[in-house]
Each structure stands twice: as C-alpha cells, then as structure tokens.
Amino acid sequence: YLTAEDLLEKQIVSKQEIKDAYELEKQAFDIPEKRNIDQIFFDDEETAKSALFSKPTKLLSFENIIKERNLQKDDVSLGEITMAELSLEAGNQLFSVSKNSVVGPIKTDLGFALYRVNEIMPAVVKTLTEEYDNIKKTISLAKVEEELSEIIEFANDEMAGGLSLEEVAKSTGMTFGKLDIHAEANLPEFTKSISFKEMLKSAKNYASDVQFDESGGIFSIRLDGIVDPFVKDFDSVKDLAKQKLLSK
C-alpha cells in the first residue's frame, strides 16, 4: 500500500505555480459582501407606502405586515444574497443602508416590494499570502493523485508481465507487508476502508490489481493462506493461563 500522505511532503511546488493558481481562481478568494434580506410584495405602490407607514417605525411596520398576512420566515426570506443578485435599483438601495433598515417600495416584475436588511456579511478578500499554504497543499495533492495514478498503471502492467507483489513494491516505493487478519487483529487504518474489505472478500493467491481506496491511497492484496478455526488443546490453554497468572 501507499498513502497520499506518504508522497505529500515529497512534492515540489514552485512559487510561480502557487501564484498562477491564485490568479486563476482569484474570484473564489474575493468573496463579495452579502446581506440577509426579507421581502414583501404589494400589488401597487400606494398600498405598499400605506403599509410601510402604518406603525411608528418602518421596522415595526414590516413586522406588522408579516403578522397581518400570517407569513412565515420562508415566505419572505431571500436568504444571504449579493448585490449582483438584485436589480440595479434594489441592489443600490439595499447595499447602502445599515442593518435592520427597511427599504422600498421598489417596483419589480412581481409588483412593488418592501425589503428588510437583517444581517450584513462584509466582503472578504483573501490575499495570496493568506492562502499560500492552502494553495500549495491543493497543488501538492493534485500532484500526488497524478503520481499515484502513474504508479497504479506501472504496477499493474508489471504484475501482468510476471513481477511479484514484493518486486513491484520495491520498484514503486509502496510498502509491502503481511497481515494476519482475524476478529481480534489490530490492523492498520487503510484496511478499514470499504474498498479494502470488498477486495479482501474476493482475494486470490495472486496479487490483485492496484487501486485507489477512499482515502486517496493505493493498495493491492494477495491471499497467502487461510487458517481454519480450531480449538486449542487443553495443555496449551492450561500453560497459557498459567503464564498469564504468574505474570500478574
């Protein structure tokens, strides 16, 4: 077997590669401001204005409209949205006011709308310096996956040509080992993957194809033998019990 972690630290990633990756994905690192906004629609502007000034404050009026119409949160919520997701007029107004402001009425395709700004999530710009290590790791992992894919292809070709599992492990840097698998065995982590367990069910006395497991590592299995269950004879059990008793 060979884990992704085994190769991760060996990857060489240049500063230029990291810079190029940052520039390529720069939009993902520039997170625009978002606002959590509610909206209520009216058929005409006058009705909307009348409702907006029905209470001492616009905020109280907005709450009152929700109660009068028996609206639920899902009925009015736009969720967290960016300015670009709104019309030009609504975006300019809603992104120029403070939290708990009520804006409108604004004409829309569905009528005249009142809006309430519940929360403001400021824009976040992640610099190259801040993201340097994360980008380097992402590039390294991509290189590891590519290298492991090449090892899989090479190993499977070599075994198909007659090389043993031991020989392939030696030439690829994979770890070769023997496992005694039984109910109480203390096994390495990679043996707990679904792919390993499935391959073990169909294991033969020759090496299986090398393949990826769920963790991103690669492995192959060869079944060297099966020991059927048996009951130990009384003398061996008695001696073992005696040794344990004396060791206490």
Side-chain angles (χ1 to χ4, degrees), residues 110-246:
L110 299 176
F112 289 84
L114 297 179
Y115 298 92
R116 177 176 62 185
V117 178
N118 302 311
E119 295 289 343
I120 298 174
M121 286 63 73
V124 177
V125 178
K126 297 180 180 179
T127 66
L128 175 58
T129 301
E130 291 172 326
E131 290 299 308
Y132 190 91
D133 289 339
N134 289 334
I135 296 172
K136 182 179 181 180
K137 185 175 182 180
T138 299
I139 296 173
S140 295
L141 286 171
K143 289 188 174 188
V144 165
E145 184 176 1
E146 183 178 352
E147 185 174 343
L148 288 173
S149 295
E150 291 173 356
I151 291 174
I152 286 178
E153 184 177 358
F154 172 80
N156 288 336
D157 284 347
E158 291 299 297
M159 287 193 293
L163 285 189
S164 67
L165 200 55
E166 290 88 341
E167 290 170 320
V168 167
K170 188 174 181 180
S171 62
T172 60
M174 294 179 70
T175 299
F176 176 82
K178 292 181 178 290
L179 299 172
D180 291 327
I181 300 177
H182 53 86
E184 297 179 1
N186 184 19
L187 299 172
E189 193 65 29
F190 77 91
T191 64
K192 300 173 186 177
S193 69
I194 296 173
S195 51
F196 183 90
K197 292 176 181 177
E198 287 299 317
M199 188 179 285
L200 185 61
K201 291 178 183 177
S202 57
K204 307 294 183 183
N205 62 350
Y206 51 85
S208 65
D209 282 347
V210 180
Q211 69 174 46
F212 279 104
D213 66 13
E214 291 79 1
S215 71
I218 60 176
F219 72 100
S220 174
I221 293 175
R222 182 185 66 206
L223 184 64
D224 290 338
I226 298 175
V227 178
D228 293 326
F230 65 93
V231 178
K232 292 184 178 181
D233 63 81
F234 176 76
D235 288 336
S236 62
V237 173
K238 181 180 69 173
D239 290 341
L240 181 60
K242 185 177 180 179
Q243 289 175 12
K244 286 187 176 182
L245 185 62
L246 291 173

